[in-house]
Amino acid sequence: MRFIEEIVVDDFLPTFRSLLADALRERGLTQSEVADLLGISQSAVSKYVHGDVARHEDLLAHRGLEELVERLADGLADGDMSPVQALVETEVFIRELEQGGVLAQLHEDAVPELGDYDDEFAVHDPDSQLRSAERTLASVRRGLSVLENTSGFATLIPAVGSNLVQCLPDADSIEDVAAVPGRILDVKGRATIPADPEFGVSEHVATLLLAARTAGSDARAVLNVRYDESVVTALRDTSRTVVEFDAEESVEPAVATALADNPAADVLYHTGAMGIEPVVYLLGDDAVSVAETAREIL
């Protein structure tokens, strides 16, 4: 099983970034300046410009990619385009290639069975359930990458372990929630993720997310971290709405009561009970945003 997001990560991004890094260097930017613009390390830029990263031939042959790289390089080098504008243009380009373009073709080459799949939706239709599931899993993977690369995140992992979850837009059961099988654990000071995210493998954190959504929250993702008054204070200091709930009640009614007056709360927490460890839950639009919240308070 290979998702189209993996085609983007494995094939498109290395090709695109190496071309753009080359183009920016040709316009006189230093490796440090290129790294800052692209949001990558100088060592990564060095690999790109020295040809140490493989480029996909099918993508190199795509005229639109060449035109995009030249336009972005001109704009970024001259200061007429911000990195955010460049990101948006690239995202639009990727979506076009996923919907019947070269990325869709590469995906079908990687998964030939898609050609024989007959159902009411097209796999590369952005509104299809399969595409929504792919995007959700990809978002959790990106969020996990943020956590793995966040120095000190292991100190936020509670004794029961953390989990990072994100649900489908119309989720109504834990089968619609993607999460890490098992838990994210602190192993000798490092956050250890046991396996790639899957649907239906989280019970507790997924249940809390679904309860929050039932109570009126628009959140689609949750990360649980250890409770400490300093953690709660740090979250309040970032202007997030922090709400306490009662750990002695079952999750659904407790969360419903807590969110009755604050359905848009960004943070839920409880201070524990007999046999229940106190925990803080970070809520957000997606797995990446809640992972970045955890990084922000370290």
Side-chain angles (χ1 to χ4, degrees), residues 62-274:
H62 192 283
R63 183 173 180 80
L65 178 59
E66 179 184 352
E67 293 173 351
L68 174 68
V69 167
E70 292 299 312
R71 184 168 67 255
L72 298 187
D74 285 340
L76 291 170
D78 296 341
D80 296 331
M81 179 183 291
S82 71
V84 171
Q85 289 172 309
L87 173 63
V88 171
E89 285 207 32
T90 306
E91 287 280 4
V92 171
F93 183 73
I94 291 172
R95 298 292 86 77
E96 291 173 349
L97 296 189
E98 287 180 343
Q99 298 169 38
V102 64
L103 291 178
Q105 184 58 55
L106 292 176
H107 190 207
E108 291 175 6
D109 291 345
V111 189
E113 296 83 358
L114 286 174
D116 300 324
Y117 188 74
D118 183 19
D119 205 343
E120 62 186 11
F121 59 84
V123 171
H124 296 117
D125 175 357
D127 296 323
S128 75
Q129 186 175 356
L130 179 59
R131 291 287 290 114
S132 181
E134 289 179 14
R135 288 196 297 269
T136 299
L137 287 167
S139 179
V140 177
R141 285 194 292 267
R142 290 195 299 273
L144 292 171
S145 179
V146 170
L147 297 180
E148 283 185 302
N149 290 288
T150 296
S151 176
F153 172 69
T155 65
L156 287 178
I157 298 175
V160 296
S162 290
N163 212 329
L164 177 63
V165 310
Q166 181 172 324
C167 68
L168 297 173
D170 56 353
D172 58 15
S173 76
I174 64 173
E175 298 301 320
D176 299 322
V177 183
V180 175
R183 297 291 177 88
I184 304 169
L185 300 174
D186 175 3
V187 179
K188 297 182 179 180
R190 291 185 60 86
T192 301
I193 299 167
D196 288 337
E198 301 175 20
F199 282 96
V201 294
S202 169
E203 183 172 351
H204 178 69
V205 182
T207 297
L208 183 130
L209 173 59
L210 294 171
R213 289 171 59 81
T214 298
S217 173
D218 292 329
R220 284 188 55 201
V222 172
L223 170 69
N224 65 313
V225 298
R226 69 174 176 82
Y227 168 81
D228 187 278
E229 186 57 40
S230 64
V231 171
V232 173
T233 299
L235 288 163
R236 286 199 175 102
D237 288 345
T238 63
S239 299
R240 288 178 169 83
T241 302
V242 180
V243 176
E244 182 177 3
F245 70 97
D246 188 351
E248 294 185 344
E249 290 188 65
S250 62
V251 172
E252 290 86 349
V255 169
T257 299
L259 293 182
D261 297 322
N262 297 282
D266 307 294
V267 180
L268 291 170
Y269 77 96
H270 65 73
T271 57
M274 182 68 68

